[in-house]
């Protein structure tokens, strides 16, 4: 389901597709830079651009500066009536929805908080999708929905922190006359896509992204390809048995990594009652630990407990780095906050768990940069990948022909 493009295979793509992807990656790219960048003759690029302008996919604008020899060149931008995607992200306390054009710019965005009532949330999102469809018509080419749980096909199998089970999200986009792809993905997976396309991991060869809220999920993106597994559920790293084999995880298995680093693990370390909302609870404890660091106060229980979690993240990351051989590790959500508060402890545990040959130098661990927006942005990228494909562009052009014949 998550087919990612591979720049190494660009030779098989059409020139139109190569130009569109260049503009998507870098809106405002100079036309004069494309022949060398894409390995195409400049006359052919000019013809291709003219066709894409006529097809309402691109517009040409004046250059910010003149070309190398002082000759005028133009810049390429998404067409103001060009294709759009809708991306929605359900998080444990909010949901967001954005309409996004080629190049990744948001045309509009809404955000609402919620009380985890599935019917209420899904009804509200469905109404917003319908409104976007009314407003933008067939310019909308694909829809992506990020959810904080395990996804199989278009179904949310389980979202422990929302207490939602077996929700078919394809129902959100029903009664559509046009066949438009709807992609449902795990939020951590979409966040990984976002970081590799628009965030801190742009340019990395292989990225391990870990996203932590009520447990750890994530993805490996290997040379632009998302490692998605046969059923699209790869990346459930929190359920690797790096934890205590005596503890049962909410997934039903024993000894999952999550049992050592979720909100319940934190409350056990603090000898406190189990939290009602574990993500808010974790953020509150981490906030107090941060204060303890800033005030250099000795003997903070919060700092001790948070440091234990950071060690567990470091140790587990080492295991995953040994297995997947990434050149960069990105940490999102609560994991990024642990890195900030207890970087030394995390790093020591990470180095201790790495195979010796990986240590010189070890793959860097960095905080993700897109924050809570990452699942929304990654969804837009995945949806746009279906538009910026040979098939997607063909369907866009056919839509133009159908519209004119009506
Ligand atoms: Zn588990």
């Amino acid at each position: 389901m998550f087919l990612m493009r591979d720049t190494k295979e660009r030779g098989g793509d059409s020139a139109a597709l190569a130009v569109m992807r260049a503009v998507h990656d870098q809106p405002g790219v100079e036309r004069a830079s494309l022949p060398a960048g894409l390995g195409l003759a400049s006359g052919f690029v000019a013809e291709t651009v003219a066709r894409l302008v006529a097809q309402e996919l691109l517009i040409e604008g004046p250059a910010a500066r003149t070309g190398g020899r002082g000759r005028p060149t133009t810049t390429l931008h998404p067409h103001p009536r060009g294709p759009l995607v809708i991306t929605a992200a359900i998080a444990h306390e909010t949901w967001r929805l954005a309409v996004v054009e080629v190049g990744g710019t948001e045309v509009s965005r809404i955000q609402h908080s919620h009380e985890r009532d599935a019917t209420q949330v899904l009804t509200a999102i469905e109404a917003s999708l319908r409104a976007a469809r009314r407003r933008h018509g067939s310019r909308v080419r694909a829809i992506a929905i990020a959810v904080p749980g395990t996804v199989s096909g278009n179904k949310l199998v389980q979202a422990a922190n929302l207490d939602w089970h077996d929700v078919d999200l394809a129902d959100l986009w029903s009664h559509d006359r046009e066949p438009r792809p709807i992609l449902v993905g795990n939020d951590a997976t979409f966040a990984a896509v976002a970081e590799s396309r628009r965030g801190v991991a742009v340019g990395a060869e292989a990225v391990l992204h870990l996203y932590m809220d009520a447990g750890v999920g994530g993805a490996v993106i290997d040379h632009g390809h998302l490692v998605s597994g046969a059923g699209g559920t790869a990346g459930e790293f929190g359920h690797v048995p790096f934890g205590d084999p005596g503890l049962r995880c909410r997934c039903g298995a024993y000894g999952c990594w999550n049992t050592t680093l979720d909100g319940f693990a934190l409350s056990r370390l603090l000898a406190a009652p189990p939290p009602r909302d574990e993500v808010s609870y974790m953020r509150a404890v981490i906030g107090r630990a941060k204060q303890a660091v800033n005030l250099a106060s000795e003997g903070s229980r919060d700092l001790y407990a948070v440091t234990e979690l950071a060690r567990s993240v470091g140790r587990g990351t080492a295991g995953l780095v040994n297995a997947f051989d990434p050149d960069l590790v990105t940490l999102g959500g609560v994991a990024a906050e642990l890195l900030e508060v207890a970087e030394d402890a995390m790093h020591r545990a990470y180095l201790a768990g790495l195979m010796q040959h990986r240590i010189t130098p070890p793959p860097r661990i960095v905080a993700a940069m897109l924050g809570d927006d990452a699942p929304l942005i990654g969804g837009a990228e995945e949806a746009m990948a279906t538009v910026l494909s040979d098939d997607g562009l063909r369907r866009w052009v056919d839509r133009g022909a159908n519209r004119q014949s009506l």
Side-chain angles (χ1 to χ4, degrees), residues 81-97:
R81 290 188 298 278
L84 301 170
V85 298
I86 304 177
T87 177
I90 302 171
H92 76 290
E93 287 173 332
T94 60
W95 64 269
R96 299 152 209 234
L97 184 143

Side-chain angles (χ1 to χ4, degrees), residues 142-207:
I143 302 93
I145 300 175
V147 290
T150 308
V151 173
S152 177
N154 281 332
K155 196 184 246 191
L156 169 63
V157 178
Q158 184 202 9
N161 201 42
L162 293 175
D163 201 20
W164 294 7
H165 305 271
D166 295 319
V167 180
D168 192 346
L169 292 144
D171 291 348
L172 292 176
W173 188 262
S174 50
H175 311 299
D176 190 9
R177 283 184 307 160
E178 277 188 73
R180 286 180 267 206
I182 174 161
L183 310 173
V184 178
N186 171 267
D187 55 359
T189 307
F190 279 170
V193 170
E195 293 295 340
S196 83
R197 293 279 185 77
R198 303 277 176 199
V200 72
V202 169
E205 297 282 318
V207 189

Side-chain angles (χ1 to χ4, degrees), residues 111-161:
Q111 175 167 339
H112 294 281
S113 55
H114 67 77
E115 302 290 327
R116 298 178 216 175
D117 181 307
T119 309
Q120 266 178 17
V121 173
L122 299 176
T123 305
I125 293 177
E126 190 178 12
S128 298
L129 286 172
R130 221 178 300 124
R133 190 158 73 186
R134 265 201 306 275
R135 181 158 176 212
H136 299 293
S138 62
R139 286 184 65 198
V140 174
R141 307 310 298 166
I143 302 93
I145 300 175
V147 290
T150 308
V151 173
S152 177
N154 281 332
K155 196 184 246 191
L156 169 63
V157 178
Q158 184 202 9
N161 201 42

Side-chain angles (χ1 to χ4, degrees), residues 134-395:
R134 265 201 306 275
R135 181 158 176 212
H136 299 293
S138 62
R139 286 184 65 198
V140 174
R141 307 310 298 166
I143 302 93
I145 300 175
V147 290
T150 308
V151 173
S152 177
N154 281 332
K155 196 184 246 191
L156 169 63
V157 178
Q158 184 202 9
N161 201 42
L162 293 175
D163 201 20
W164 294 7
H165 305 271
D166 295 319
V167 180
D168 192 346
L169 292 144
D171 291 348
L172 292 176
W173 188 262
S174 50
H175 311 299
D176 190 9
R177 283 184 307 160
E178 277 188 73
R180 286 180 267 206
I182 174 161
L183 310 173
V184 178
N186 171 267
D187 55 359
T189 307
F190 279 170
V193 170
E195 293 295 340
S196 83
R197 293 279 185 77
R198 303 277 176 199
V200 72
V202 169
E205 297 282 318
V207 189
L208 165 67
H209 178 71
L210 298 177
Y211 184 84
M212 178 171 167
D213 50 26
V216 175
V220 170
I221 296 184
D222 190 358
H223 297 89
H225 284 283
L226 178 67
V227 178
S228 60
T233 60
E236 295 281 4
F237 300 127
H239 304 282
V240 176
F242 290 156
D244 176 350
L247 287 174
R248 189 159 199 201
C249 174
R250 280 172 284 188
C251 77
Y254 286 87
C256 289
W257 187 20
N258 277 349
T259 61
T260 73
L261 45 67
D262 60 12
F264 299 99
L266 191 58
S267 69
R268 277 197 307 275
L269 286 163
L270 289 169
R276 211 179 68 82
D277 181 329
E278 58 177 309
V279 180
S280 314
Y281 173 74
M282 291 172 95
R283 293 212 144 117
V285 177
I286 292 170
R288 292 200 298 271
K290 213 178 281 182
Q291 264 186 336
V293 172
N294 291 342
L295 300 172
S297 52
E298 301 274 318
S300 157
R301 290 290 298 169
D302 293 313
L303 183 55
Y304 152 77
V306 164
T307 304
E308 282 301 303
L309 257 59
R311 280 197 189 102
S312 175
V313 170
R315 201 161 46 242
T317 301
L320 297 174
V321 166
N322 289 340
F324 287 108
D325 186 25
D327 58 341
L328 183 69
V329 179
T330 55
L331 299 185
V334 173
E337 296 176 39
L338 293 175
L339 180 68
E340 195 190 332
V341 180
E343 185 171 8
D344 279 355
M346 187 186 292
H347 214 248
R348 271 199 301 275
Y350 171 57
L351 292 180
L354 280 182
M355 296 162 76
Q356 285 298 301
H357 81 276
R358 298 211 188 277
I359 285 181
T360 49
R364 283 189 311 133
I365 300 181
V366 298
M369 66 180 250
L370 298 172
D372 292 345
D373 281 343
L376 196 72
I377 295 168
E381 289 294 316
E382 285 294 271
M384 196 57 86
T386 70
V387 181
L388 302 184
S389 63
D390 280 320
D391 195 40
L393 291 188
R394 205 175 307 120
R395 278 188 279 126

